[in-house]
Amino acid sequence: GENVGLHLPTLSVQEGDNSIINCAYSNSASDYFIWYKQESGKGPQFIIDIRSNMDKRQGQRVTVLLNKTVKHLSLQIAATQPGDSAVYFCAERVTGNQFYFGTGTSLTVIP
Amino acid sequence: DAGITQSPRHKVTETGTPVTLRCHQTENHRYMYWYRQDPGHGLRLIHYSYGVKDTDKGEVSDGYSVSRSKTEDFLLTLESATSSQTSVYFCATDRADTGELFFGEGSRLTVL
């Protein structure tokens, strides 16, 4: 499969700090990227997306940055809260409606 | 919430037995997907459907078949389950062609 990977498998942050989760992708033709959050025992939930013609997109407390030059994607979570503790996946759309997912980063928020 | 229901949520079966997982959606989404999730591999696409009776293979389709006779139902069948198919299976749908996927709660399958 495509190499959609995450630099760090685990990340621990203090409550209130900002979190940055990174993702590398290998297919320069990918045109659409999504970040998902998966809480224990549940299915992944959409957080934010970005298209390849954009460098940055902001949502509520989350920002996604896309660097096509180095094929890197990051998710920034501002003022991290205990409810943000979860596994975060990036996904890239390579062709049609097929997505490749990364292996995930586990975020733990320390109260 | 795309109203995706997976059944069964948990199943234990023996090697060589057939297994069918069902995904039901209430949002009339055109595309439906089956993924499996394993430690160290993330989510991998098994099969997907882009309409009634229209299906195609994903990256890990060997040993699996699917059927979609109605818009709302997408079935995943393991004709003869193997221990390597022990996994958590997720169904997903997407809204038109936006690419945003909505996932079910998952079905945990254990093949002994």
Side-chain angles (χ1 to χ4, degrees), chain A residues 73-111:
Chain A
L73 196 68
S74 69
L75 176 70
Q76 300 178 1
I77 304 173
T80 313
Q81 302 169 359
D84 294 327
S85 292
V87 176
Y88 290 81
F89 296 92
C90 65
E92 63 174 321
R93 183 169 67 186
V94 176
T95 178
N97 275 61
Q98 292 196 49
F99 284 83
Y100 286 105
F101 285 78
T103 54
T105 290
S106 176
L107 174 66
T108 300
V109 181
I110 303 167

Side-chain angles (χ1 to χ4, degrees), chain B residues 1-69:
Chain B
D1 182 1
I4 302 172
T5 305
Q6 292 185 227
S7 60
R9 294 290 313 281
H10 301 274
K11 186 173 181 65
V12 179
T13 191
E14 293 185 348
T15 298
T17 61
V19 176
T20 295
L21 304 179
R22 178 180 183 242
C23 178
H24 179 78
Q25 56 124 340
T26 59
E27 297 296 316
N28 201 35
H29 287 173
R30 178 183 173 190
Y31 287 82
M32 297 185 75
Y33 308 80
W34 276 108
Y35 287 88
R36 61 178 288 175
Q37 185 174 39
D38 306 287
H41 289 280
L43 287 154
R44 292 181 291 175
L45 181 64
I46 305 171
H47 281 281
Y48 65 101
S49 169
Y50 42 96
V52 174
K53 299 191 188 306
D54 288 326
T55 65
D56 208 345
K57 297 178 180 180
E59 62 177 314
V60 290
S61 59
D62 287 348
Y64 302 94
S65 62
V66 291
S67 66
R68 190 159 178 211
S69 58

Side-chain angles (χ1 to χ4, degrees), chain B residues 59-109:
Chain B
E59 62 177 314
V60 290
S61 59
D62 287 348
Y64 302 94
S65 62
V66 291
S67 66
R68 190 159 178 211
S69 58
K70 298 185 289 185
T71 298
E72 58 267 34
D73 290 327
F74 192 32
L75 304 180
L76 177 70
T77 298
L78 291 66
E79 299 291 347
S80 178
T82 67
S83 58
S84 64
Q85 293 175 311
T86 292
S87 186
V88 180
Y89 292 86
F90 286 97
C91 174
T93 70
D94 79 5
R95 182 178 59 202
D97 291 324
T98 64
E100 177 182 347
L101 297 178
F102 298 89
F103 285 86
E105 296 287 276
S107 295
R108 181 175 294 276
L109 175 67

